[in-house]
Amino acid sequence: MLSMLGKLLQGRYRLLLAPVAVLALVMSACGNDDDGSGAGDTSTSEATAAAGPAPTQSAESVSLRVAYFNGAGQPEVDLREEQAAAFEALYPNVSITMEPVADWQTTLIPQISAGTAPDVLWGGTDDGYGQFVGLDAFLPLGSYVEADGYDLSAWPSSMIQHFSDSDGELLLLPTSNLSFNFLYYNKSIFDEAGMDYPDGSWSIDDLISVARELSVQDEQWGFGFAWDDLYQTWMRMYGCEFSDDPTFATDYTYNGPHCAEALAELDELSREGVINWDTGAQWGGLAPGDATGESAFSAGHVAMLLSGTWEAPTIADNSGGAFEFDAAAAPLDDGGRIQGAASGFGVYSGTDNPQWAWEYVKFIAGPQGQEAEAEIGIGQSPISSILDQVYCASDAPPESKCEVAKNGAANTVWEPLNDGWIPGFWDVITSAVQSGFTAGSAPDWQALLDDAVEDSRIAGPLL
């Protein structure tokens, strides 16, 4: 997942480049009330009040550059400019220059290497954040958090840990969390078959069994993915671990327990025509000319679709009310997790104004900044109170969105913070797995993954 909305920049995941209408309901992804972080007990006002005072006002002029990944088009540009103007009104000695970036790595990595990067940097787990960490691009924020007495308890503890360095110092203030665990279902298809809707009691075996029953060769598919790379979410659901450590990986492990099993079962479904794939990939089971993912689901050709919360507005628009739909949390085997993505803002390690840069990070990435994003539909806050106030309060479908989103947040894992992860993992596993699904007959999935892991260790060493 290399860059939100588009399809993850180079095939990672389609999230942030979608039209703003697609994001209108993605108002926030939450922290889990039971994760021990205290997220559910900390209101936005409490978290804001805990922040320390701004730097002492002075006549000295300060200029800050702020780079952000523009995933929502003009509405996000407008918001960022409004935030900059509001900060300048509070601190007239500070001028802010906002720099929207589309091709994140291509633009920023040369600037980081040359020591000319903006003072405040956006970072995303699926958009090269690990590479940035490898380049020491982010300033450790521990001393600033401590000096301000800044309250981080509103964030899920797992996110704070993931966005911290090996010494436990925070590098990024998380603003967004995306979980790929929404199992959308077409109520009409289930009603016509006289079958119960998916719910939290389902196992993966239940999903597979129902998907088979609801499939009609070349006419209707029981199950589908919004995009091809969600085979990795399928692997996670079985309990497959991609690396030996979720944050600071030292080895690739996606040939370990349950990994080959997950792909073998998915391959079988594909060859049976139970699941339809992307037309560009031409994976097994896809009828010629049929659309994939959301388009097929919205057209009424797919009983169940795996994706994320952002999909609902598009389904509602494209289906035109032809059928009712809802969503359940994707089932997990013992030890299963949900693939996800997260992002936030940090301070560039080479900035000449670290205190002011930190102040601006708090301003746009703290609870108030996240609430502003949620209100216009371009934010997916990990803060539980913002989720409850905006996302969960909406009457828009699916009805179960709040429950599913919270389930996802509680079980989400993100990309490790290794600069070799993209060439070692993404650039290897994608071609390897596609070769297996497009082979004339089912491959030996364990052998295929064993070979791929060896290729990963060469292409992107993690040590």
Side-chain angles (χ1 to χ4, degrees), residues 231 254 421-434 451-460:
Y231 71 82
Y254 60 87
W421 187 254
I422 288 176
F425 180 74
W426 283 106
D427 294 347
V428 173
I429 193 173
T430 298
S431 59
V433 170
Q434 286 189 4
D451 290 343
V453 164
E454 289 303 317
D455 290 342
S456 289
R457 290 167 178 161
I458 296 171

Side-chain angles (χ1 to χ4, degrees), residues 179-187 190 196-202 207 223 237 297 303-309 325-332 338 398-405 407-408:
S179 301
F180 311 151
N181 76 316
F182 274 65
L183 183 65
Y184 291 97
Y185 57 92
N186 182 320
K187 288 186 173 181
F190 276 82
D196 293 335
Y197 300 145
D199 61 32
S201 68
W202 271 28
L207 170 60
F223 179 66
M237 288 163 55
F297 182 82
M304 295 176 285
L305 175 74
L306 183 65
S307 188
T309 178
F325 69 93
D326 203 343
L332 305 177
I338 293 296
E399 292 182 11
S400 303
K401 59 184 178 295
C402 187
E403 172 189 342
V404 177
N407 173 276

Side-chain angles (χ1 to χ4, degrees), residues 228-304:
D228 294 342
D229 287 341
L230 283 179
Y231 71 82
Q232 293 177 13
T233 292
W234 182 265
M235 294 170 72
R236 290 282 200 195
M237 288 163 55
Y238 278 69
C240 173
E241 293 293 342
F242 297 162
S243 62
D244 60 350
D245 187 272
T247 303
F248 299 103
T250 63
D251 195 15
Y252 301 94
T253 62
Y254 60 87
N255 62 336
H258 312 297
C259 300
E261 173 193 355
L263 291 179
E265 291 203 60
L266 187 60
D267 188 29
E268 187 175 348
L269 292 175
S270 176
R271 295 176 190 277
E272 291 176 12
V274 173
I275 177 172
N276 75 310
W277 291 101
D278 184 276
T279 52
Q282 288 296 307
W283 290 3
L286 179 66
D290 200 319
T292 188
E294 175 273 318
S295 296
F297 182 82
S298 296
H301 300 316
V302 178
M304 295 176 285

Side-chain angles (χ1 to χ4, degrees), residues 131-216:
Q131 290 178 296
F132 282 32
V133 173
L135 292 170
D136 295 323
F138 292 100
L139 183 73
L141 299 174
S143 60
Y144 298 94
V145 171
E146 183 177 357
D148 286 357
Y150 193 71
D151 185 3
L152 297 173
S153 65
W155 282 263
S157 57
S158 58
M159 293 194 78
I160 294 299
Q161 178 182 356
H162 193 77
F163 280 114
S164 298
D165 63 18
S166 56
D167 294 324
E169 287 208 48
L170 186 67
L171 297 178
L172 218 63
L173 204 56
T175 59
S176 177
N177 180 56
L178 300 167
S179 301
F180 311 151
N181 76 316
F182 274 65
L183 183 65
Y184 291 97
Y185 57 92
N186 182 320
K187 288 186 173 181
S188 295
I189 291 178
F190 276 82
D191 290 343
E192 290 174 6
M195 302 185 69
D196 293 335
Y197 300 145
D199 61 32
S201 68
W202 271 28
S203 66
I204 295 178
D205 286 343
D206 292 328
L207 170 60
I208 291 174
S209 175
V210 171
R212 283 191 167 116
E213 289 191 50
L214 294 179
S215 294
V216 179

Side-chain angles (χ1 to χ4, degrees), residues 5-20:
L5 286 180
K7 196 185 175 184
L8 261 120
L9 217 62
Q10 304 200 11
R12 305 301 192 261
Y13 65 121
R14 301 179 310 176
L15 309 181
L16 294 181
L17 296 179
V20 69

